[in-house]
Amino acid sequence: MIRRILIALVLIAAAVFAFVTLDPLDLLGEEGDGTLTLYGNVDIREVALSFRVGGRLAEVLLDEGDTVAQGQALALLDDQPYREELAVARAQVARARAQLDRLEAGFRPQEVRQARARVAEAEASLENARRELERKAGLVDSGGTSRRELEQAEARHQESAARLAAAREALALAEEGFRPEEIESGRAELAIAEARLEQAETAVADTRLVAPSPGVILTRVQEPGSMVSAGSPVYALSLSDPVYLRAYVSEPDLGHAVPGREVTFRTDSSERVYRGQIGFVSPRAEFTPKSVETPDLRTDLVYRLRIVVEDPDDALRQGMPVTVTLADADGQGA
């Protein structure tokens, strides 16, 4: 009995000694070494590529699995109809500009001189009509002319006076030029024509489908000769730059996952350790996705993280599961 008591006392003493002399974190293993382990996936980033205009598909330049660079041509439409519309738009701009130039310049000097000549002609005609009227009026009393001839002379005089007034108004218009409202209207017509020209140029440019960013062709949807409408998918492109991770952190550990923090991660298919940086922390809680949940996390609320990969390579495939490690999560050296 005494021996058993002594053995128990020795064990208790050893436990007390270990608790006092050893770091409690050493007894916790991986969870006590100041690291935080998260689970997630390489984010899936795809885009459906299509033309902004419709037409006949002339060329499809790439196939599934091809790697593309930003700005690289992927497919071409038959652009003949759009080039014809572009030629019409350019002609309309030239016509509108010529019309505006004519309005701003006013009448030509020859037209002004012609208007002055018409005024002089009308003045001479009026003078002749006045003299004839005076002569007829002097002969009425003596019976040298009839009352009817006098009335005709008066009508010719009035007609000549009206023609002179019209000629003088035409001369004033020629010397003054066009009204400001007509010039503004001409400028508006030119602006409309130039806008239509820009639309035509954009339509021609849109017959060339280019890659918005680097990536890999996942799916080739259309073949040459197909009639495609605006917005119809031609390719599905997997974006490769930048590469993001989608990981999740529980609410108690949220304070350790702050934007800008450096992390490391591994995949199940490689021993390489990649580096990344937390770029975004979702402000909204959600239940752990089934793709990354563990038995302990199935009912936990977590927050989504977006991690920017600093050193990606071809081994990182979209949707691939990853294990993310945040070192010094307890704040010691973080």
Side-chain angles (χ1 to χ4, degrees):
M1 182 66 181
I2 296 176
R3 183 178 180 182
R4 292 179 180 177
I5 295 175
L6 292 175
I7 293 174
L9 291 175
V10 171
L11 293 176
I12 293 173
V16 172
F17 175 79
F19 182 80
V20 173
T21 58
L22 297 179
D23 188 345
L25 294 178
D26 292 338
L27 301 177
L28 297 177
E30 293 183 357
E31 294 184 358
D33 63 358
T35 62
L36 176 63
T37 301
L38 307 177
Y39 301 93
N41 301 84
V42 179
D43 208 358
I44 297 176
R45 301 176 61 238
E46 298 178 8
V47 58
L49 301 179
S50 59
F51 291 98
R52 291 199 299 184
V53 297
R56 183 179 64 83
L57 192 56
E59 294 184 64
V60 180
L61 305 177
L62 298 176
D63 209 339
E64 296 177 356
D66 289 343
T67 301
V68 301
Q70 183 176 1
Q72 181 177 347
L74 306 179
L76 303 174
L77 289 178
D78 178 10
D79 62 356
Q80 183 62 30
Y82 295 100
R83 292 195 176 278
E84 292 172 353
E85 292 179 3
L86 178 60
V88 172
R90 286 173 175 165
Q92 290 175 340
V93 168
R95 182 179 64 182
R97 183 173 289 114
Q99 179 69 10
L100 177 60
D101 291 343
R102 184 180 72 84
L103 293 174
E104 290 179 336
F107 291 92
R108 291 175 295 179
Q110 296 88 338
E111 293 175 320
V112 175
R113 289 196 294 269
Q114 187 180 47
R116 288 173 180 167
R118 288 173 180 166
V119 169
E121 180 183 4
E123 290 175 341
S125 177
L126 177 61
E127 180 63 20
N128 289 335
R130 183 186 65 79
R131 291 177 180 176
E132 182 181 2
L133 176 61
E134 291 177 350
R135 185 174 63 83
K136 294 288 184 182
L139 295 175
V140 169
D141 294 338
S142 62
T145 186
S146 65
R147 175 64 61 179
R148 181 178 180 181
E149 290 178 345
L150 177 61
E151 292 175 352
Q152 291 176 345
E154 290 176 346
R156 286 193 292 270
H157 181 268
Q158 293 175 355
E159 182 179 353
S160 298
R163 287 178 179 174
L164 176 59
R168 286 174 175 171
E169 291 294 334
L171 175 60
L173 288 175
E175 291 176 337
E176 183 178 352
F178 294 95
R179 293 183 299 175
E181 294 84 355
E182 293 177 307
I183 296 176
E184 288 300 320
S185 177
R187 289 172 180 167
E189 291 295 332
L190 176 60
I192 292 173
E194 289 175 340
R196 288 174 178 168
L197 174 60
E198 291 178 358
Q199 289 178 334
E201 291 173 342
T202 300
V204 171
D206 285 340
T207 61
R208 185 172 180 266
L209 182 62
V210 300
S213 63
V216 177
I217 300 296
L218 291 180
T219 308
R220 172 171 159 168
V221 182
Q222 303 287 351
E223 295 299 328
S226 302
M227 293 299 296
V228 297
S229 59
S232 298
V234 178
Y235 290 106
L237 179 67
S238 173
L239 304 179
S240 60
D241 185 26
V243 177
Y244 295 136
L245 303 184
R246 182 188 298 261
Y248 300 86
V249 61
S250 61
E251 192 277 333
D253 298 320
L254 187 59
H256 303 302
V258 295
R261 180 163 186 175
E262 298 287 338
V263 303
T264 58
F265 68 94
R266 297 174 181 266
T267 66
D268 296 340
S269 60
S270 173
E271 293 299 324
R272 179 184 170 182
V273 178
Y274 297 88
R275 302 185 64 83
Q277 186 179 77
I278 298 176
F280 167 75
V281 180
S282 175
R284 184 180 63 185
E286 56 187 283
F287 286 105
T288 310
K290 292 185 178 297
S291 60
V292 297
E293 70 183 9
T294 63
D296 296 334
L297 295 177
R298 286 174 183 165
T299 60
D300 285 357
L301 287 174
V302 293
Y303 294 83
R304 177 170 55 89
L305 307 180
R306 186 181 71 182
I307 299 172
V308 183
V309 181
E310 297 178 352
D311 51 354
D313 59 17
D314 294 338
L316 291 178
R317 305 284 178 147
Q318 294 189 9
M320 178 180 289
V322 296
T323 302
V324 182
T325 301
L326 282 72
D328 297 326
D330 57 357
Q332 300 175 4

